[in-house]
Amino acid sequence: MMKIGIDAMGGDFAPETVVMGAISASSKIGSDSKIVLFGDKAQIETILEREKCPLDTFEIVPTTEVISMSDHPTQAFTKKSNSSITVGFNYLAAGKIDGFASAGNTGAMMVGCMYAVKQVEGVIRPAISSSLPTINGHSLILLDVGLNVDCKPEVLYQYGIIGSIYAKRVLHINNPRVALLNIGEEKEKGNNASKTTHEMMEGTKDFNFVGNIEAKHLFTGEVADVVVCDGFVGNTILKQSEGIYEIAVREGIKGTYFDNFNYENVGGTPVLGINAPVIIGHGCSSAKAICNMILQTEKTIRGNIGSELREILSK
């Protein structure tokens, strides 16, 4: 039985929206999957009873503390040992759950990733990835989108490996095209880091490198399936995309393509390069966003990207 761990106390409207999202997801996950809720048992059961949802739909792990958005991540993760995030990561590290997701304190989630689950041996730096909708109806994986604002060429090269494996195993893209974000398509373009990275990627057998990509091609889906950049640039693109969606909503522009920019339809961003699946959601997540965060966690667990990543890095 696959166990999907969810922080029931994480997010601006927890536990209400988290439990409601879990109820919605419970009918959509596989028959071999079970959602495990970490949090205040009394509050969780009150919502389930109100919604006439059988208590045995979920496994509930009682916790008594909450890491708030204003808490210092490292201190809170250590001092609040019975918090939903800390207990959830302890379960994940011990193999009692197969993946963990939260819309709570992002810093605390990253502390859990680095100190409880830890990065895959050989990974220089893990990355946070994000899915960008393309006009051809598919998605493009962008990494990093904020974890590492400065990246050496060796780190960017590994992002190519990590992103390619994720695209294959989770998005089921055969031989995904990996591109390096740059200010021009020619390999001579860019700063020293991007030029050195291009040299490293050119001719590699670790992934299908297709060269440089300019930002104007990100949303076409015609050039690449995975795009590599440092976290400063990636986060800028991500925030710009969110701004475009907000303008579209304000101007009354409707359509399937623009709907795909809505974070609720994505659910969260996976942390890649660590030893177990972890998904981080928006703090303001609605029940719909939580539902999709859970479904995304299940897909990431089934992808089992860690095994292939370990195999490649061992060489």
Side-chain angles (χ1 to χ4, degrees):
M1 176 68 70
M2 177 192 297
K3 292 192 174 183
I4 307 167
I6 302 299
D7 172 17
M9 312 308 291
D12 298 339
F13 311 107
E16 175 72 23
T17 54
V18 179
V19 177
M20 293 300 292
I23 292 172
S24 178
S26 65
S27 62
K28 299 174 183 176
I29 58 175
S31 58
D32 61 338
S33 297
K34 183 89 170 182
I35 297 172
V36 182
L37 298 175
F38 293 83
D40 188 310
K41 185 177 181 181
Q43 290 190 60
I44 293 171
E45 290 184 344
T46 296
I47 298 171
L48 294 177
E49 289 170 356
R50 185 195 72 202
E51 297 300 317
K52 296 180 173 54
C53 178
L55 299 183
D56 62 0
T57 302
F58 307 102
E59 182 180 329
I60 301 174
V61 178
T63 61
T64 58
E65 296 177 297
V66 177
I67 296 179
S68 69
M69 296 295 193
S70 59
D71 280 337
H72 185 281
T74 304
Q75 293 178 2
F77 190 89
T78 304
K79 293 181 178 180
K80 293 186 175 182
S81 59
N82 200 34
S83 67
S84 50
I85 288 180
T86 303
V87 175
F89 269 106
N90 289 339
Y91 266 60
L92 184 60
K96 295 180 180 179
I97 55 176
D98 299 292
F100 185 60
S102 173
N105 187 306
T106 300
M109 288 292 288
M110 291 310 305
V111 171
C113 288
M114 300 306 295
Y115 293 101
V117 177
K118 301 179 181 179
Q119 62 209 62
V120 171
E121 185 177 356
V123 169
I124 303 171
R125 290 187 181 181
I128 299 178
S129 69
S130 183
S131 175
L132 298 180
T134 62
I135 199 67
N136 64 5
H138 300 294
S139 295
L140 176 146
I141 299 301
L142 181 70
L143 73 165
D144 181 39
V145 293
L147 185 55
N148 302 297
V149 294
D150 292 305
C151 294
K152 293 181 179 179
E154 294 82 3
V155 174
L156 294 172
Y157 180 88
Q158 281 196 349
Y159 287 172
I161 297 173
I162 295 169
S164 178
I165 294 172
Y166 182 85
K168 281 190 292 184
R169 287 183 168 262
V170 179
L171 302 182
H172 307 295
I173 300 173
N174 183 39
N175 197 29
R177 300 162 297 172
V178 179
L180 178 66
L181 188 61
N182 208 331
I183 59 173
E185 296 180 10
E186 300 85 359
K187 63 181 181 180
E188 297 84 8
K189 289 290 183 71
N191 55 20
N192 289 333
S194 60
K195 285 188 282 190
T196 302
T197 303
H198 191 287
E199 290 177 3
M200 294 178 66
M201 290 182 168
E202 195 171 29
T204 182
K205 295 182 179 180
D206 289 332
F207 49 86
N208 177 23
F209 181 56
V210 295
N212 289 332
I213 186 175
E214 296 181 23
K216 66 180 180 180
H217 295 302
L218 284 176
F219 304 103
T220 66
E222 297 172 351
V223 180
D225 304 297
V226 176
V227 174
V228 172
C229 61
D230 63 52
F232 184 92
V233 173
N235 192 265
T236 300
I237 291 172
L238 185 61
K239 297 294 173 58
Q240 183 183 43
S241 301
E242 292 174 353
I244 291 172
Y245 172 70
E246 291 174 2
I247 292 173
V249 171
R250 192 170 61 204
E251 294 297 313
I253 301 173
K254 297 181 179 180
T256 303
Y257 177 67
F258 284 103
D259 288 343
N260 290 331
F261 278 96
N262 184 353
Y263 81 93
E264 290 182 302
N265 295 325
V266 178
T269 55
V271 183
L272 303 178
I274 57 177
N275 283 304
V278 173
I279 305 294
I280 299 175
H282 276 270
C284 62
S285 288
S286 63
K288 178 181 179 182
I290 295 295
C291 174
N292 284 320
M293 181 180 74
I294 294 171
L295 297 179
Q296 185 183 16
T297 305
E298 182 187 37
K299 285 199 306 181
T300 305
I301 293 171
R302 293 193 190 280
N304 189 24
I305 68 173
S307 61
E308 186 173 344
L309 180 57
R310 293 184 192 94
E311 182 181 346
I312 292 177
L313 292 180
S314 68
K315 299 175 183 179

